[in-house]
Amino acid sequence: MKKMMIGAAAFAFLALASCGTGKNTVAVTDFSGEWNIVNVKGEVVRADKTPYIGFDQTTNRVYGHAGCNRLMGAYHVDSLEVGKISFAQVATTRMMCPDMSLEQNVLDALNKVAGFAQTGDTVELQDAEGRQVMILQKRVKPAVTIGDLAGRWRIASVGVVIVGKMDREPELTFNLEEKRVHGNASCNTINGSFSQEEGKPASLRFSQMISTMMACPDMQVERDILQAIEKVRAFDSGDEEGTVVLLDENGSPLMTLARAQEEAE
């Protein structure tokens, strides 16, 4: 008897496992990458900043934006029962916005998710009774090139933690001709070089980074920035115009850079 072995990667793209017809037909969905939240609890999302969820299939972690705050957490796709997914430990940063209703609806919906169904180019997230609570659509962001990194950038956030107002604002400046980067990590001046892998235009790696040795009252932001810099392997356009996200080897966000004001004008 022939034994057929199907690898995990191939399994993610199997055609259909039917548990009914129409929208009840469940596809084995590849959740990798980022997805816009286009409908919550039956209402189309109309917002200047569309909420989204990013799935890191290597670590089973999620990240994204809930409408006001950045979100993070974990997810689990049931490998034995097709069409089952759940979210856990979902948390957000703590900014306040004028209208928090969209964010609250997003978080409430995520807490109820128990299953999913592929519906054309979207994925419908469902509660335990099979009712729709959210619709996701694959996110397409404008491409960003190494040329777009030239100049000075403010370090706006590290991971999901927003960098607040500081006496010395953390920043990075890219010199493309010399392939050098310099700036500060909130206390000390930092300098180094950057490179890209051949054939990978969105790759980015910092090397030979050195720092001055001053001591400041609070060094936590600086430590977080330096640790993030060591892990950077790629970059992408950010959620907002004039921002860039630095990513680790799994595509998870490490830092968000915002174009310095004089550069943006």
Side-chain angles (χ1 to χ4, degrees), residues 55-223:
F55 293 83
D56 183 344
Q57 292 188 311
T58 303
T59 61
N60 287 333
R61 303 291 297 175
V62 291
Y63 61 90
H65 199 277
C68 175
N69 286 281
R70 294 183 177 277
L71 66 82
M72 72 295 294
Y75 78 101
H76 173 71
V77 176
D78 196 323
S79 60
L80 299 177
E81 190 172 357
V82 177
K84 297 298 181 183
I85 185 173
S86 59
F87 295 88
Q89 301 172 330
V90 176
T92 66
T93 50
R94 298 191 166 218
M95 284 197 310
M96 292 298 295
C97 296
D99 185 359
M100 302 290 288
S101 58
L102 173 58
E103 176 156 311
Q104 191 58 57
N105 284 338
V106 167
L107 297 176
D108 288 345
L110 287 175
N111 284 331
K112 295 176 181 176
V113 171
F116 68 91
Q118 187 92 38
T119 56
D121 64 345
T122 64
V123 171
E124 180 181 286
L125 299 184
Q126 304 166 339
D127 64 16
E129 284 72 46
R131 295 175 299 213
Q132 172 195 307
V133 295
M134 184 180 290
I135 295 178
L136 307 180
Q137 187 170 49
K138 196 71 172 182
R139 195 171 190 228
V140 179
K141 295 194 293 183
V144 60
T145 68
I146 194 67
D148 296 318
L149 290 182
R152 190 163 72 90
W153 298 82
R154 175 175 58 86
I155 299 176
S157 67
V158 184
V160 297
V161 179
I162 295 171
V163 176
K165 188 173 179 59
M166 307 186 73
D167 292 337
R168 192 179 188 198
E169 188 174 63
E171 62 178 47
L172 293 174
T173 297
F174 291 84
N175 183 323
L176 299 188
E177 292 183 0
E178 299 179 4
K179 293 188 177 180
R180 300 287 299 175
V181 61
H182 70 270
N184 76 80
S186 77
C187 176
N188 286 282
T189 298
I190 54 177
N191 288 278
S193 59
F194 66 88
S195 61
Q196 292 187 284
E197 293 184 53
E198 187 174 352
K200 295 183 178 181
S203 64
L204 180 69
R205 182 190 290 259
F206 296 100
S207 59
Q208 300 175 326
M209 297 297 293
I210 59 174
S211 169
T212 53
M213 303 288 288
M214 289 193 302
C216 296
D218 184 359
M219 301 288 289
Q220 187 59 52
V221 171
E222 176 151 316
R223 284 192 291 268

Side-chain angles (χ1 to χ4, degrees), residues 246-259:
L246 305 186
L247 310 168
D248 67 13
E249 61 184 356
N250 298 315
S252 297
L254 291 168
M255 290 196 295
T256 298
L257 308 182
R259 179 67 73 179

